[in-house]
Amino acid sequence: MAQQMGDGHRRFLQTMMANGVVDEQGARSLHQHCCETHNTQYARDKLDDFIAAINSKLQPMFMQIRRGMSEDNGQQYYALVNMAETDVTRMSSDYADNELELFRKTMDLIVGSESGKASSTDILNSADTLTTKKLKKSETEHLLNRLVHGQWLSEKRGEYTLSTRCIIEMEPYIRTMYQDQVKVCQICHNIAFQCQICENPVCGIKIHNPCVARYFKGRSEPRCPACDDFWPHEIPEIRRPKSQSRK
Amino acid sequence: MTQRKRLSTARQQGTLGTQEEDDDPTFTQPSTSQVQKGLEKLTPAQVDQKTAEVVQYFLVKDQKKLPIRRADIVKHVVKEYRNIYPEIMKRVTRTFDQVFGLKLVEIDTKNHVYILINKLETVEGPSSITPTNPKMGLLFVILSVIFMKGGVVRETLIWNTLKKLRVDPGEKHEDFGDVKKLVTDEFVRQRYLEFVRIPHTEPVEHEFHWGQRADVEVSKAKILEFMGQLHEQDPQSWSQQYREAHSTTDSSQASTSSQR
């Protein structure tokens, strides 16, 4: 039951393009707004069909509106993704070559880390090893701010993680680039950076923090889904969307 | 086909700003029969792929609302597919229209420069997703002044109007930064305004006109409506402007209920 592409769909797509990433609540209100603006039939539970109609038209362009989970709060976000991209070229209009190189190095640090975070100190050190034009300390700090502002990185207490938008948009690139090196969540099977790891040396499976919260909810004795060893980490609470204040 | 790389610096486009490459002198629009022959040698998948790449290129470049040059499209994206360039552009135009609700317009037919214009009317949406852009507010004010004054104003009028609104072109503004640069450079590059030198003025003075993007994207009827509210007057009381706003089939706003 594919919907026809109308101005409502186009407005939705344009807004997605302008925003980079949209949370689930935002997508729902946008869906409603677009349907009402263009007198299209609206039903609250038809968001997936609505997006599918857009995606079928985006397919020949190797683009898709994809959904992904925030590693921070476990909520769903939507982003417009270029499926054909094999490099960080989407960013290339906003960042210089050496800035992109630093971003790649930051990504290397994040992928390679156990916590899924890179400290500003480590990033500043990598700025010294750039093969393209070097970046000064102040320039690096300024660049990191721009990357956060541009929704590619998130920052908390001097540590940087890949933003939800970045993960959704660059998933194909990351999988290709890092292959076995990138962690994958045992529960949802998506790539994972901030996660808990099974301490059994023979097992070592990874689970996203929000996926841990959901999977182990209500279990008195949490056990690894793969090897059945006791799961030693603190089980986080499931975060509810209502109280979320958007940055 | 021999490549004659003529570095003709005489082609410098002064008004279009810095560091723009020369229009590729070796690219001439292929004929219909050449395009046909070219298409026969390629698979549909190849043509689709190339179309997709051009669409991507436009979208990335258009993020800044700056014009896109045919020479750059051919050099950076189309490349060896240049013999079917018109066919690719035909498909790209159709895609933008049907999928994105954007209109691809060649604003400079001599130098082959394009912009993407929004066919959908700007409507305020849920505020978290569609935050109002203060720059557009400022632009709207400027466009209003120009329109109400018959389509042309001297720059001093604009600067005085803005000063009255506490937006001083001489000072750095909290939201807009360098106001003069925003108005005379950014808005001009984006084709919202035209900033034209008035000949024989000393010191040099300029006048403002609506730019091509504004002509298509901004509704004169809406401006008049806004003026009406501001001055508590009926829009029709400005008879000349009213006529102008409602005469042309404003190719600007696609009606909100249009169905394709």
Side-chain angles (χ1 to χ4, degrees):
Chain A
M1 199 194 55
Q3 294 176 13
Q4 281 284 54
M5 186 96 177
D7 277 347
H9 298 89
R10 296 182 187 107
R11 187 176 291 277
F12 190 93
L13 176 57
Q14 284 190 17
T15 313
M16 288 296 311
M17 277 168 30
N19 274 276
V21 69
V22 170
D23 65 18
E24 184 159 12
Q25 189 50 45
R28 292 200 184 282
S29 28
L30 183 62
H31 174 213
Q32 186 171 2
H33 166 72
C34 290
C35 288
E36 285 171 2
T37 305
H38 296 280
N39 301 317
T40 317
Q41 203 171 19
Y42 170 70
R44 206 189 131 75
D45 59 345
K46 293 285 183 226
L47 176 60
D48 285 342
D49 287 345
F50 189 80
I51 291 178
I54 300 172
N55 276 341
S56 70
K57 289 288 192 268
L58 286 176
Q59 180 110 2
M61 237 61 54
F62 305 101
M63 290 165 75
Q64 291 286 274
I65 295 176
R66 291 187 78 177
R67 210 166 60 171
M69 181 190 76
S70 158
E71 296 192 326
D72 194 40
N73 60 29
Q75 277 152 57
Q76 295 293 312
Y77 286 76
Y78 293 86
L80 182 63
V81 178
N82 184 346
M83 307 296 290
E85 220 137 42
T86 52
D87 204 340
V88 291
T89 54
R90 172 187 277 275
M91 298 168 75
S92 62
S93 67
D94 288 334
Y95 300 95
D97 282 347
N98 60 343
E99 295 176 330
L100 291 174
E101 201 197 338
L102 185 84
F103 179 72
R104 281 193 198 95
K105 283 196 182 292
T106 305
M107 202 185 272
D108 289 345
L109 287 168
I110 290 171
V111 173
S113 75
E114 211 181 272
S115 62
K117 299 177 191 170
S119 70
S120 50
T121 320
D122 288 342
I123 298 172
L124 284 165
N125 287 338
S126 354
D128 288 335
T129 65
L130 293 178
T131 57
T132 48
K133 210 173 108 186
K134 299 255 185 288
L135 280 167
K136 290 189 277 218
K137 179 168 185 247
S138 58
E139 289 173 323
T140 308
E141 282 168 351
H142 183 61
L143 170 61
L144 287 172
N145 278 338
R146 279 173 56 212
L147 285 165
V148 170
H149 195 69
Q151 296 181 302
W152 297 106
L153 295 176
S154 299
E155 184 267 339
K156 205 173 359 183
R157 294 186 221 122
E159 292 191 301
Y160 291 85
T161 51
L162 297 182
S163 71
T164 305
R165 180 254 195 127
C166 182
I167 295 173
I168 300 174
E169 278 208 38
M170 300 215 184
E171 202 218 327
Y173 167 73
I174 291 171
R175 281 197 194 257
T176 314
M177 218 24 218
Y178 296 98
Q179 300 201 6
D180 294 332
Q181 206 196 344
V182 70
K183 306 195 270 291
V184 176
C185 176
Q186 181 79 2
I187 304 300
C188 72
H189 309 294
N190 288 317
I191 54 178
F193 301 94
Q194 296 178 75
C195 48
Q196 295 183 355
I197 305 176
C198 176
E199 305 229 312
N200 181 350
V202 183
C203 179
I205 57 128
K206 291 96 180 158
I207 307 180
H208 284 119
N209 294 328
C211 294
V212 167
R214 285 196 202 108
Y215 183 75
F216 289 120
K217 183 180 162 166
R219 294 189 202 216
S220 50
E221 210 183 289
R223 293 198 158 271
C224 172
C227 71
D228 211 36
D229 258 23
F230 181 68
W231 193 264
H233 308 285
E234 189 185 325
I235 311 296
E237 288 279 306
I238 296 181
R239 308 242 314 246
R240 303 252 161 251
K242 275 290 163 69
S243 53
Q244 234 50 37
S245 56
R246 291 209 52 182
K247 260 213 219 156
Chain B
M1 227 179 284
T2 52
Q3 291 258 319
R4 282 178 302 147
K5 280 218 164 97
R6 272 185 308 155
L7 297 168
S8 50
T9 48
R11 298 279 205 112
Q12 270 298 324
Q13 311 290 336
T15 46
L16 288 180
T18 55
Q19 289 178 320
E20 298 232 331
E21 295 163 38
D22 300 339
D23 191 32
D24 182 1
T26 63
F27 183 72
T28 42
Q29 195 88 332
S31 68
T32 324
S33 55
Q34 282 175 314
V35 172
Q36 267 313 108
K37 277 209 198 103
L39 282 171
E40 282 161 21
K41 295 200 181 113
L42 298 164
T43 65
Q46 284 173 309
V47 182
D48 285 343
Q49 169 79 32
K50 203 38 89 170
T51 305
E53 284 173 27
V54 175
V55 167
Q56 282 295 338
Y57 184 78
F58 264 101
L59 288 174
V60 171
K61 287 282 175 195
D62 188 64
Q63 273 173 2
K64 305 239 165 42
K65 293 211 182 130
L66 297 179
I68 300 136
R69 306 169 73 242
R70 181 178 81 177
D72 290 335
I73 301 168
V74 172
K75 179 173 173 182
H76 297 296
V77 193
V78 174
K79 298 187 203 170
E80 70 275 17
Y81 286 62
R82 51 177 64 193
N83 56 341
I84 58 160
Y85 177 82
E87 178 62 27
I88 293 175
M89 286 312 288
K90 202 169 89 181
R91 292 173 188 219
V92 167
T93 305
R94 193 169 60 213
T95 301
F96 278 126
D97 180 53
Q98 289 177 355
V99 181
F100 294 88
L102 299 171
K103 193 166 159 178
L104 184 62
V105 178
E106 193 174 10
I107 53 168
D108 185 341
T109 48
K110 181 163 161 271
N111 298 303
H112 305 290
V113 179
Y114 302 95
I115 56 172
L116 277 173
I117 291 171
N118 202 342
K119 292 176 65 189
L120 302 177
E121 198 182 328
T122 312
V123 172
E124 224 178 283
S127 55
S128 57
I129 312 296
T130 51
T132 39
N133 184 350
K135 284 184 186 173
M136 287 298 112
L138 184 70
L139 175 67
F140 192 79
V141 166
I142 297 171
L143 290 173
S144 303
V145 172
I146 301 172
F147 173 58
M148 295 308 282
K149 284 285 179 188
V152 187
V153 293
R154 291 179 95 101
E155 59 177 300
T156 40
L157 179 60
I158 297 295
W159 305 136
N160 289 339
T161 307
L162 293 186
K163 270 200 204 126
K164 285 192 201 144
L165 299 171
R166 308 277 174 88
V167 179
D168 194 332
E171 288 168 10
K172 195 155 186 204
H173 189 269
E174 195 189 322
D175 291 319
F176 308 126
D178 186 339
V179 175
K180 197 139 194 239
K181 186 154 184 251
L182 171 63
V183 175
T184 61
D185 185 42
E186 191 174 320
F187 285 158
V188 172
R189 279 170 168 271
Q190 292 174 340
R191 300 301 202 266
Y192 280 115
L193 295 174
E194 275 177 26
F195 188 59
V196 182
R197 197 180 147 161
I198 304 169
H200 313 302
T201 49
E202 192 62 47
V204 178
E205 256 193 85
H206 302 79
E207 52 190 25
F208 282 101
H209 303 243
W210 277 42
Q212 286 149 309
R213 188 189 290 273
D215 283 333
V216 185
E217 279 189 11
V218 182
S219 157
K220 293 187 161 99
K222 270 228 147 48
I223 290 190
L224 216 48
E225 212 179 287
F226 172 66
M227 284 292 146
Q229 287 168 2
L230 195 63
H231 298 283
E232 291 182 343
Q233 275 175 245
D234 188 331
Q236 292 197 48
S237 62
W238 294 282
S239 49
Q240 197 174 344
Q241 286 86 344
Y242 188 82
R243 246 178 296 147
E244 194 186 328
H246 292 271
S247 66
T248 43
T249 32
D250 235 339
S251 60
S252 59
Q253 301 345 36
S255 66
T256 47
S257 57
S258 74
Q259 288 269 260
R260 274 292 174 104

